[in-house]
Amino acid sequence: GIQVEQSPPDLILQEGANSTLRCNFSDSVNNLQWFHQNPWGQLINLFYIPSGTKQNGRLSATTVATERYSLLYISSSQTTDSGVYFCAVPGYGGATNKLIFGTGTLLAVQP
Amino acid sequence: EAQVTQNPRYLITVTGKKLTVTCSQNMNHEYMSWYRQDPGLGLRQIYYSMNVEVTDKGDVPEGYKVSRKEKRNFPLILESPSPNQTSLYFCASRGTGAGTQYFGPGTRLLVL
């Protein structure tokens, strides 16, 4: 099955710093999502980005489907950005509705 | 507001006592799924449903049941919970096509 790897696994930032998180996937995909899991466990949709670039406030994402990677940019980080960031792609067969989640990047933003 | 809701959000129970976790979505989505999240194992799909009365097993269905009698609801049933079902559970939904999948707020279950 498709493999999804994220880097770095852990990241510690000072408030105000910028960061780039990477998601590599082993096979072609027709969609990709980025999520933020906050310290309370909730999974927050950030982007649905099968290709191209999208921006939402301080966050932006770029997916290069032909090269099988996606990047999530966080600018001017805040303590509320802390948590785990996941990318996810569809599993085999569209009917299963299954998402394959990456290994995650644990982000800690210090004041 | 488009959303997926789950109840309860937190539950402590004992081995063997049947429980149901409800899931509801207000987006008229066809597809719904249940996942569990465990440390070191990530999120794994338990069951999914393509539409009313159409359900199928995901990767870890043992010990769980589901039903889809109405399009908006997809309850997860644990007939006889065991401690290895202690986990964080998520319900998710999406419409037809390769669109955004929306997740509920999660249910933390502890089985003693």
Side-chain angles (χ1 to χ4, degrees), chain A residues 29-57:
Chain A
V29 298
N30 61 4
N31 73 68
L32 184 143
Q33 287 186 244
W34 281 98
F35 295 90
H36 172 213
Q37 188 166 34
N38 64 23
W40 293 270
Q42 293 177 306
L43 276 171
I44 311 299
N45 272 310
L46 296 177
F47 294 101
Y48 169 78
I49 184 164
S51 63
T53 298
K54 288 186 178 179
Q55 181 156 7
N56 185 3

Side-chain angles (χ1 to χ4, degrees), chain B residues 11-21 63 76-83 85 109-112:
Chain B
L11 181 59
I12 301 173
T13 189
V14 295
T15 298
K17 186 176 181 181
K18 181 179 179 179
L19 67 91
T20 299
V21 184
L76 179 69
I77 304 158
L78 284 71
E79 294 267 0
S80 183
S82 62
Q85 292 179 296
L109 173 64
L110 173 60
V111 184
L112 301 173

Side-chain angles (χ1 to χ4, degrees), chain A residues 30-31 33 35 37-45 47-48 50 86 90 92 94-102, chain B residues 9-10 31-33 35 37 43 45 48-50 59 88 90 92-94 98-106 108:
Chain A
N30 61 4
N31 73 68
Q33 287 186 244
F35 295 90
Q37 188 166 34
N38 64 23
W40 293 270
Q42 293 177 306
L43 276 171
I44 311 299
N45 272 310
F47 294 101
Y48 169 78
F86 292 102
Y92 56 86
T96 70
N97 195 45
K98 180 169 68 175
L99 285 179
I100 305 296
F101 282 77
Chain B
R9 296 288 313 283
Y10 305 91
Y31 291 97
M32 297 186 76
S33 296
Y35 292 81
Q37 185 180 27
L43 281 96
Q45 191 185 54
Y48 65 94
S49 169
M50 291 185 285
D59 296 322
L88 176 58
F90 291 99
S93 76
R94 77 169 168 88
T100 301
Q101 190 152 168
Y102 295 88
F103 281 76
R108 289 192 182 275

Side-chain angles (χ1 to χ4, degrees), chain B residues 19-104:
Chain B
L19 67 91
T20 299
V21 184
T22 64
C23 172
S24 184
Q25 49 92 7
N26 64 0
M27 295 168 278
N28 200 35
H29 283 167
E30 286 73 21
Y31 291 97
M32 297 186 76
S33 296
W34 277 101
Y35 292 81
R36 61 178 288 175
Q37 185 180 27
D38 302 288
L41 297 175
L43 281 96
R44 296 175 291 169
Q45 191 185 54
I46 303 171
Y47 268 95
Y48 65 94
S49 169
M50 291 185 285
N51 216 322
V52 175
E53 303 292 0
V54 182
T55 63
D56 208 343
K57 298 176 181 178
D59 296 322
V60 287
E62 295 76 21
Y64 303 94
K65 286 176 59 177
V66 293
S67 68
R68 188 94 180 270
K69 292 182 169 54
E70 302 167 289
K71 196 172 187 179
R72 64 182 292 124
N73 297 323
F74 190 43
L76 179 69
I77 304 158
L78 284 71
E79 294 267 0
S80 183
S82 62
N84 65 13
Q85 292 179 296
T86 292
S87 188
L88 176 58
Y89 291 87
F90 291 99
C91 180
S93 76
R94 77 169 168 88
T96 54
T100 301
Q101 190 152 168
Y102 295 88
F103 281 76

